[in-house]
């Protein structure tokens, strides 16, 4: 690990200002950052510990919930309000990592976790995300935990978070505080950027931008599901996952939100699928069309070709169950 | 950098490079070598310790992040004699080489508290019902601790005995 300065920020202002220094980084749970620093994939000059800013609260705002950025994934999954009213979020969190990791991992850190592309982790290989302009070793190399949607010629890395998939289906917003002290709220959809020819730029956040909370609006459907398919039964990243939030009325799909993990370069959502399903009576032929729509622009590699069939099957299974 | 925390009830002060992980601080600087380094990347659970009542991977945490914290390692699980959980591991052959055992013990100890607090898991059918410690629940909740000797049957039996629970579903 390269040397760095460590400081524990006393308040959000100090934290944001300190994080504007060249190559400085916030550290929350550290479960992703320390991993990458050990391998020298990342070598921040300074770490600003945001674990003691009091951002670990969860509060009700009318029918909505405001989730602090440093609340642990374990506490969030176990929260009684989340379990009752946003079960898809609890389910997604509980499907991720391990008991130990969830006790450390935070809301903000989970959203901003880096890809698990093995070449990104291996500093002896070319990788546009780690070293812009060097090329992509995954394209033409070994692929498995890679994306097939939203990819570019320069990067096919997956966004690996389970939590973010549920949050996308729930129309979550992210509260950000800038170094100047101003606040803004952005749709989770707008937080992430497609790789394009700049895969090293993953979000719209600027240096010093601190995620302070995630805003969760009341869920629009009471039928919620998170289905994750992976290489082993537990403690593994998703090959494919689907988060579904559905409301039924008179035997028809009244509202539906679907988000996908394991497939996209960012937590994936496709309004065309939702438009196709809304107002319809659930039936197999309709679900087939939804699955085809999801994959219409898929660009798999040899190693990820299986995800086309798998993704379709998981979507159809989830739709069948959640509308039954 | 100066750091003060409590380990197994004893206040400790260290002067460390910020790069030192909690695991290395315990093992190399406090000679508490019970906690083991398996992967050093959060993938095996051998380094599991209990911080403020919660189990974490000591390898993925910087020592500096634990200023003022209360840390329990495997060395702190026993009092006068072995803990109920430790005794159960012996009775049920919950280990072979023993390398994963300190992590298994710390993890199981804190996991039982999570169950007592009603925390659900990935395999819990009803998120809002009280948590039950079935075999399936146990396997899921302990999935962060790998055992290369594959002593899982013994480990599971030991934890269930310590929990005073009979598995609701066999196998
Ligand atoms: C073995 C293993 C298995 C895993 N399995 C899964 C899995 O199955 N599913 C899954 O979803 N995840 C999984 N994870 C990833 C895990 O969820 C993340 O490591 C964790 O959520 C990161 O949170 P953290 O608080 O530890 O982040 P940190 O490591 O502290 O930070 C991560 C990044 O976010 C930045 N950051 C953190 N907080 C803020 C903030 N408030 N504002 C601005 N920037 C911030 C940091 O600067 C850093 O760049 C796994 C991890 C490991 C090690
Ligand atoms: S897929 Fe992206 S992260 Fe992986 S090697 Fe290619 S550029 Fe790097
Ligand atoms: S040594 Fe920490 S998880 Fe393996
Ligand atoms: S007893 Fe050998 S690794 Fe578990």
């Amino acid at each position: 690990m390269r040397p760095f300065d460590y400081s524990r920020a006393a308040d959000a202002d100090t934290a944001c200002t300190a994080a504007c220094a060249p190559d400085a980084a916030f550290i929350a749970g550290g479960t992703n950052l320390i991993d990458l620093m050990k391998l020298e994939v990342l070598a921040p000059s300074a770490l600003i510990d945001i674990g003691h800013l009091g951002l670990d609260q969860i509060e009700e705002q009318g029918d909505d919930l405001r989730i602090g950025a440093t609340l642990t994934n374990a506490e969030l999954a176990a929260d009684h309000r989340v379990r009752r009213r946003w079960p898809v979020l609890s389910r997604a969190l509980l499907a991720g990592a391990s008991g130990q990791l969830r006790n450390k991992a935070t809301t903000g850190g989970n959203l901003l976790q880096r890809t698990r592309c093995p070449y990104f982790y291996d500093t002896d290989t070319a990788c546009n995300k780690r070293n812009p302009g060097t090329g992509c070793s995954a394209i033409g190399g070994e692929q498995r935990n890679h994306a097939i949607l939203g990819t570019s010629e320069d990067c096919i890395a997956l966004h690996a978070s389970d939590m973010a998939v549920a949050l996308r289906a729930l129309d979550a917003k992210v509260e950000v505080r800038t170094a100047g002290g101003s606040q803004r709220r952005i749709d989770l959809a707008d937080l992430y950027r497609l790789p394009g020819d700049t895969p090293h730029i993953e979000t719209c956040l600027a240096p010093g931008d601190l995620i302070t909370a995630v805003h969760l609006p009341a869920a629009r459907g009471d039928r919620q599901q998170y289905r994750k398919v992976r290489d082993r039964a537990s403690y593994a990243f998703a090959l494919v996952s689907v988060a579904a939030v559905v409301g039924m009325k008179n035997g028809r799909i009244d509202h539906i939100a679907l988000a996908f993990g394991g497939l996209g370069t960012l937590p994936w959502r496709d309004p065309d699928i939702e438009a196709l399903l809304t107002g319809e009576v659930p039936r197999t032929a309709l679900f087939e069309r939804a699955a085809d729509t999801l994959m219409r622009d898929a660009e798999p590699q040899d190693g990820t070709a299986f995800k086309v069939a798998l993704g379709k099957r998981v979507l159809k299974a989830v739709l069948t169950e959640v509308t039954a | 950098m100066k750091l003060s925390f409590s380990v197994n009830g004893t206040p400790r002060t260290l002067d460390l490079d910020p790069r030192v992980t909690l695991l290395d601080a315990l093992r190399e600087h406090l000679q508490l070598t019970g906690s083991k380094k398996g992967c050093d990347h959060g993938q095996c659970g051998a380094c599991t310790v209990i911080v403020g009542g919660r189990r974490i991977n000591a390898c993925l945490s910087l020592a500096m992040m634990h200023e003022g914290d209360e840390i329990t390692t495997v060395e702190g699980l026993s009092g006068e004699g072995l803990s109920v959980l430790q005794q159960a591991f012996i009775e049920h052959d919950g280990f072979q080489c023993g390398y994963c055992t300190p992590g298994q013990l710390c993890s199981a100890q804190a996991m039982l508290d999570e169950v007592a607090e009603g925390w659900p898991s990935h395999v819990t059918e009803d998120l809002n019902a009280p948590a039950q410690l079935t075999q399936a629940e146990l396997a899921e909740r302990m999935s962060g601790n790998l055992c290369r000797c594959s002593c899982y049957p013994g480990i599971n039996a030991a934890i269930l005995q310590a929990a005073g629970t009979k598995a609701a579903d066999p196998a």
Side-chain angles (χ1 to χ4, degrees), chain A residues 235, chain B residues 23 36-47 57-60:
Chain A
Y235 202 13
Chain B
L23 180 59
K36 296 290 182 275
K37 186 182 283 191
C39 64
D40 216 17
H41 287 280
Q43 299 177 358
C44 75
C47 64
N57 305 100
C59 71
L60 284 189

Side-chain angles (χ1 to χ4, degrees), chain B residues 21-60:
Chain B
T21 61
L22 177 59
L23 180 59
D24 287 340
L26 294 168
R27 287 180 53 84
E28 313 293 332
H29 296 266
L30 294 173
Q31 280 69 50
L32 291 168
T33 52
S35 309
K36 296 290 182 275
K37 186 182 283 191
C39 64
D40 216 17
H41 287 280
Q43 299 177 358
C44 75
C47 64
T48 305
V49 298
I50 304 173
V51 177
R54 300 288 181 218
R55 51 180 173 158
I56 66 161
N57 305 100
C59 71
L60 284 189

Side-chain angles (χ1 to χ4, degrees), chain A residues 114-121 125-131 134-139 142-143 145-147 152-158 195 199-200 202:
Chain A
R114 308 300 298 276
T115 187
R116 310 303 286 200
C117 172
Y119 301 105
F120 177 70
Y121 271 74
T125 62
C127 169
N128 287 324
K129 193 184 271 303
R130 177 169 31 76
N131 247 334
T134 52
C136 171
S137 300
I139 297 174
E142 297 263 340
Q143 316 98 17
N145 278 319
H146 291 89
S152 75
E153 280 173 16
D154 292 310
C155 182
I156 56 168
L158 196 64
H200 58 292
E202 297 177 349

Side-chain angles (χ1 to χ4, degrees), chain A residues 25-35 42 50 55 69-70 73 92 95-98 101 104-114 116 121 160-164 205 209-212 228 230 232 235-238, chain B residues 41-44 60 65:
Chain A
F26 295 121
I27 185 162
T31 60
N32 190 223
L33 195 52
I34 296 170
D35 200 2
L42 298 176
I50 55 169
L55 298 175
T70 61
N73 287 178
S98 67
L101 286 160
K104 204 87 197 319
T106 63
T107 318
N110 192 317
L111 286 177
L112 297 182
Q113 64 174 288
R114 308 300 298 276
R116 310 303 286 200
Y121 271 74
S161 166
D162 288 294
M163 181 192 78
L205 299 181
D209 281 0
L210 174 71
I211 296 180
T212 49
K228 176 174 177 178
R230 41 186 157 172
R232 55 184 188 193
Y235 202 13
F237 285 93
Chain B
H41 287 280
Q43 299 177 358
C44 75
L60 284 189
M65 294 163 75

Side-chain angles (χ1 to χ4, degrees), chain A residues 1-2 4 6 8 28-29 31 34-35 38 78 83-84 91 94 98 100-101 103-104 230 234-235, chain B residues 18-19 40-43 48 55 57 59-61 64-65 67 107 114 118 122 124-125 127 140 143 145:
Chain A
M1 215 188 285
R2 305 278 179 82
F4 56 85
Y6 169 90
R8 191 183 265 206
T31 60
I34 296 170
D35 200 2
K38 284 184 179 181
R83 284 200 246 171
R84 266 196 312 274
R91 290 289 181 198
L94 294 170
S98 67
Q100 289 95 315
L101 286 160
N103 277 332
K104 204 87 197 319
R230 41 186 157 172
S234 184
Y235 202 13
Chain B
R19 286 176 289 185
D40 216 17
H41 287 280
Q43 299 177 358
T48 305
R55 51 180 173 158
N57 305 100
C59 71
L60 284 189
S61 206
M64 286 302 156
M65 294 163 75
E67 172 71 37
S107 185
E114 293 170 5
H122 170 60
T124 307
E125 248 167 65
L127 283 181
E140 167 58 29
S143 74
N145 292 85

Side-chain angles (χ1 to χ4, degrees), chain A residues 3 37 52 72 102 140 163 198 270-271 305:
Chain A
M37 287 170 63
H52 304 269
T72 65
R102 291 192 296 271
M163 181 192 78
T198 51
D270 185 336

